[in-house]
Structure formats: C-alpha cells, structure tokens
Amino acid sequence: MPIHRNRGARDGRRPRGPRGRDPVVVVGAGLSGLACALHLLGAGRDVVVVEREDHPGGRAGRLDLDGFRIDTGPTVLTMPDLLDEALGAVGESVHERLDLVPLAPAYRAAFADGSTIDVHTDRAAMAAEVLRVAGPREAVGYLRLREWLTRLYRIEMRSFIDAQFDSPLDLVRPDLLRLAALGGFGRLAPAVGRRVRDERLRRIFSFQSLYAGVPPDRALAAYGVIAYMDTVAGVYFPRGGMRAVGDALAAAAAKAGGVLRYGESVTRLERSGDRVTAVLTDQGERLPCDQVVLTTDLPAAHRLLGHRARRPVAHRFSPSAVVLHLGTDRTWDSLAHHTISFGGAWRRTFEEIIGEGRPMSDPSLLVTRPTATDPALAPEGRHLLYVLAPAPNLAAGRIDWDAEGPRYRDRLVATLEERGLSGLGSSIRAERLVTPADWARQGLAYGTPFSLAHTFAQTGPFRPGNTVPGTANAVLAGCGTTPGVGVPTVLVSGKLAAARVLSRTGGGR
C-alpha cells in the first residue's frame, strides 16, 4: 500500500510496487488534477500531486480578507454528479464530502427596463415564471427549448464531451448525425430564437456562450449544452464556499493514499528520449515519475515540455474578466444568490469586448452573493458580493489595467448603484479588484482565466488534445485541452487524462 505523506511533505519518493513503477506525478492540484488523481488512485496507481499554492483548488482560488472568506475563481457549480464520479473512484461520495445546497432560483435576471425573471431549473416552476413575464406562447416555447437543450446534452455528453479524440475522424460516429439533425452545427442565438421570441429569454439561454469565448451569434448551437447545465440540470452552492470543492477532492485523494505536495512549483521536466523521467521543483526536489499529467495553463505546459504546440494558426484565447470582490455592511433584497444584471446593450457588448478590445460601455454583469446561502462566509452582520464583468483579454485590448482598473472599479460601483443597489459604495468595508493584468501575473496566458476560446477550430478533435506528440508519457488536463472550459468539463478532462495514463500502463501497483 502507498504511504500517505502529510500536507506539505518534501519527500515525494514512494516505495515501488511489485511492478517496479514510479508514481504518476500530477502537476497542479486544481479540479482537473484532483479528479485525475482520484481516478488513478481508484485504479490502483500511486500518485503524487505537486501544487505551487499552499492549498488545493487551482483556479477555484481563495482569499481571506478581514474576516471575509472569498472565492476568487468560479462561483457557479453545476453537474455535481461529476464530482460524485471522481469521489466514487475511491469509494466515497459527494454527499459524504460536501454539503451542496440547490439554488432556487438558479439565477435572477434583471433587465434595463426594470423587469426581472427568476430562472428556475424545475420545469413547472420555470414554465410558470415564463408565463408570468412573457405569456402562454413563450411558456410553450420555453418547454420546447428545454427539451431541445436536454437532447443536446444527452448526445454531447456521451459522444463528444466525455470522449477521447485522436483525430477529426473520431467525430464520425452515430451521434454526429443526431447532433446535426438537432441543429448543433448551426448558431446558438438563432437556435434559441426559433424557440423563444422574448429578447429577455433569448439572453438568459444564450449568454453562457461568452464563458466559452464566443458571442451567441457566432457560437455553435452545440454550446447550448452550457445553458442546459445552468438552467435545466441545476445550480448548487457548497457550504463553505467553492473552496470546499478543492478541499473535498484533496482530502479524498490523501485518504486514498495520494501524496499532495503544496507550496512547490515545477521548474523543469527531466527527459530521456521521448519519456519524462522526473519532475523537478523549485525546492530542489527530483520526483521520479512513470507518467506525468500537466494541468497548468496550456502555454506553461508546453514550456515545461520544451516545445511549442504544433498548429497551423495561433490559438485564439477567450475574453477575460474584471472581478470586484466586495465585503459590505448591508445587503439588497433584489439580489438572489446569483443575479445577472443585463445592460440595455447586447450585441454591441460583444463587439466591444472581442472586436474592439475595450470594456463594455453598458455592461452586463454577474453578481454573486454567496452569503445569501452561507452567512458564515462573512463576519456577523456583513455580506459578500462578487461582481464579474467580461473584459477583453490582453491580446485583444491595449489597456493599461493598472491605471484603468481603479477607474473601472468606480464605474462598476456606480452602475450597480444606478441599477438598484443604492448606497453600495458607502457600504463597502473590504474589497479586492482583479483585472486581466492580475490574471496575467498569476501566469494565465493573455490575462484570461478562461483559456482557449471554443471556436469551431478549437472544439472537439480540433482542440488541443490531451496527448503530446513526441512525448510518450505526458498527458494534459484542464481547461486548455479537451473537452474545455468550466467546472464540469475540467472534471471530465481529469477523468480522460487518467484514462490515457491507464491505457498506456494499465492499473494496479
């Protein structure tokens, strides 16, 4: 049996098993790396995880500020069955490790005309809400849209998301025709618009494509699967914040015998021919490995491997985001746990961010109030707000964010006050602003936490694969590889990376 080292242990060597194998070294204790580790441990492999931060979670980061416990990465959790699958690999369950609260509504959408729509994942509740705000025809259209999204999801998950791709020929499978028949290779905005006509509903069921780095008018209709996850499958919040997810996966991995080494950065990969033989850290440690799984940002992974990605054209990266974390001494009843505050502009916002490389003049914002569900995340009588404003990445825009950031922060506060959060500015007791320049300082390419955009040329078999040409025992995981960006998909990427390792070496010790 493997020997579990305590958190922060320096000795990564482990006794070799009967087959004389060194462990699999996973670089990065983000959600993809932890999912990969759990699947490998469940298959009987020895695993060492190396993480530069002093805690797990990766981009699901954390900040403790004046008694406020802040999530600095994703705030929306969907598809908890994928967490359950990863934990189930080592005989545990999501319900044993996490206290997940289903959110009802999943979102509240607030519009420039003063109207609001609560987005429910329950079919009957959402149909009643659509009937209330838009009438019977739109309620029928919503049910048609929901059915279409569900059919998209079922096909895509089994054949195109939770699936390995080695070449474009791997697309040629029976579900390809089914996806085409559903209109999956058309455009998202028109596909949604054929089912609901109310502009507010069209926004609610298509804005998610921006997380994939593409405006709804240009995104493949197949990316309606993200709207399925948000508006049909359900949105959850873990008590303790999103940091609890990384903590839960890491604890399960440690219990299963994995070694987790925090506070160590990987500086180099030692190679012999086409094999990586060891991982070297900034602490002077040499960690021998049988296989290595790299979950770092894609350019960083290729730098460690010592080559550039082989691609006829340069990768296109997603837009970035400005995030304003606020600890306040008051709250507002108009805010749900998640509130999408839409500006009056719509198509123009995408042109400004992606085409012109400048901040939105009439911003649409995601405002998360985690203390609505878990008051313990803030001092007694205080509240947390997380304000996300999509923004150009550093390749698209030429903005001096160190100079512009404070001014943009003031614009965001003023905009939210104009939209009903009166007295927001004077209520702030703690804050932290994060701009694309800050994401870049964290090592994220072009200052975006959303990695590669999901254009057609960067989707499915055209997205960077999880194997590395010219390297026999290195595998990639995370949002830069297949299947893509988002908490559910990076969990799948970890599972697929583990499957690659096991297909090369088999399970067991």
Side-chain angles (χ1 to χ4, degrees):
M1 292 294 289
I3 301 171
H4 171 238
R5 309 285 184 190
N6 290 330
R7 172 183 172 122
R10 295 300 181 197
D11 179 12
R13 289 181 172 83
R14 305 174 60 147
R16 293 189 178 191
R19 302 183 189 182
R21 287 180 181 162
D22 285 315
V24 178
V25 175
V26 178
V27 179
L31 302 187
S32 64
L34 293 171
C36 179
L38 288 167
H39 285 288
L40 290 171
L41 289 162
R45 293 306 310 269
D46 291 335
V47 178
V48 176
V49 182
V50 184
E51 168 57 47
R52 67 180 181 180
E53 302 293 340
D54 63 359
H55 54 77
R59 298 187 197 197
R62 60 186 69 181
L63 170 67
D64 294 330
L65 185 64
D66 297 336
F68 294 93
R69 302 178 67 208
I70 297 169
D71 290 323
T72 62
T75 63
V76 178
L77 179 62
T78 63
M79 309 299 294
D81 55 303
L82 295 173
L83 288 171
D84 202 42
E85 183 179 27
L87 291 165
V90 294
E92 299 200 34
S93 77
V94 71
H95 301 294
E96 293 171 333
R97 286 286 179 182
L98 290 166
D99 181 6
L100 295 182
V101 181
L103 300 182
Y107 296 94
R108 176 167 294 149
F111 298 91
D113 64 2
S115 63
T116 62
I117 298 176
D118 281 352
V119 181
H120 297 278
T121 53
D122 177 78
R123 182 178 185 274
M126 188 59 190
E129 180 72 351
V130 174
L131 177 66
R132 178 186 71 82
V133 299
R137 184 182 66 183
E138 293 296 84
V140 172
Y142 157 72
L143 294 175
R144 291 174 52 224
L145 176 60
R146 183 185 177 98
E147 173 61 23
W148 178 69
L149 293 173
T150 301
R151 292 171 67 193
L152 272 182
Y153 170 77
R154 288 172 178 166
I155 290 173
E156 290 183 51
M157 178 54 81
R158 69 184 178 225
S159 292
F160 302 103
I161 297 175
D162 192 3
Q164 305 278 24
F165 288 102
D166 293 305
S167 84
L169 293 177
D170 291 334
L171 275 174
V172 183
R173 51 189 67 175
D175 275 340
L176 181 67
L177 293 178
R178 297 185 182 98
L179 184 59
L182 283 175
F185 297 105
R187 299 301 173 190
L188 179 62
V192 172
R194 284 192 292 272
R195 291 163 174 90
V196 290
R197 298 183 182 180
D198 188 290
E199 178 64 22
R200 297 168 297 177
L201 296 175
R202 293 184 180 190
R203 292 190 187 189
I204 286 171
F205 290 99
S206 66
F207 82 91
Q208 295 89 348
S209 73
L210 191 58
Y211 298 147
V214 187
D217 283 340
R218 299 209 302 266
L220 290 175
Y223 282 103
V225 70
I226 308 174
Y228 167 87
M229 294 175 182
D230 278 1
T231 66
V232 178
V235 176
Y236 297 80
F237 185 73
R239 291 197 189 277
M242 289 292 288
R243 68 177 68 188
V245 176
D247 287 342
L249 297 180
K255 182 180 177 182
V259 172
L260 292 99
R261 301 169 62 105
Y262 297 102
E264 295 187 56
S265 292
V266 172
T267 57
R268 190 164 67 86
L269 303 179
E270 183 181 285
R271 298 183 63 154
S272 176
D274 64 353
R275 294 190 64 82
V276 176
T277 55
V279 171
L280 282 71
T281 79
D282 62 353
Q283 302 299 310
E285 296 289 335
R286 179 183 181 275
L287 309 178
C289 63
D290 175 60
Q291 302 274 321
V292 63
V293 180
L294 303 174
T295 74
T296 59
D297 206 33
L298 193 64
H302 285 295
R303 284 194 297 271
L304 283 172
L305 289 165
H307 66 82
R308 293 184 178 182
R310 298 175 183 176
R311 190 173 179 85
V313 295
H315 287 127
R316 176 177 159 188
F317 282 75
S318 294
S320 184
V322 172
V323 178
L324 181 57
H325 302 286
L326 299 175
T328 68
D329 63 9
R330 61 166 294 187
T331 189
W332 294 263
D333 291 340
S334 59
L335 293 177
H337 186 111
H338 295 297
T339 300
I340 308 165
S341 176
F342 287 106
W346 185 237
R347 290 179 178 84
R348 189 173 82 237
T349 62
F350 302 112
E351 180 58 28
E352 288 172 336
I353 297 169
I354 298 173
E356 300 172 11
R358 62 189 181 92
M360 298 174 287
S361 57
D362 184 14
S364 290
L365 308 171
L366 171 63
V367 182
T368 295
R369 182 169 63 111
T371 44
T373 304
D374 189 353
L377 297 174
E380 187 175 355
R382 301 292 171 91
H383 308 272
L384 263 178
L385 295 181
Y386 168 109
V387 182
L388 183 147
N393 66 39
L394 297 182
R398 296 294 182 265
I399 301 167
D400 180 355
W401 281 106
D402 290 332
E404 178 62 23
R407 291 191 288 269
Y408 193 60
R409 173 266 184 208
D410 293 343
R411 286 174 53 193
L412 291 177
V413 171
T415 296
L416 290 170
E417 289 185 330
E418 291 167 3
R419 295 180 184 178
L421 303 192
S422 58
L424 173 61
S426 62
S427 76
I428 296 170
R429 295 295 172 264
E431 67 178 282
R432 180 66 56 88
L433 178 70
V434 183
T435 72
D438 295 310
W439 297 121
R441 281 188 278 267
Q442 293 178 32
L444 300 180
Y446 301 107
T448 175
F450 303 116
S451 194
L452 300 185
H454 283 267
T455 61
F456 179 79
Q458 295 180 166
T459 294
F462 308 111
R463 197 169 182 82
N466 57 12
T467 58
V468 182
T471 306
N473 66 333
V475 179
L476 304 179
C479 57
T481 183
T482 55
V485 177
V487 172
T489 39
V490 299
L491 291 169
V492 173
S493 83
K495 172 187 172 184
L496 295 176
R500 288 288 194 191
V501 170
L502 296 171
S503 70
R504 292 170 169 177
T505 64
R509 302 185 178 87

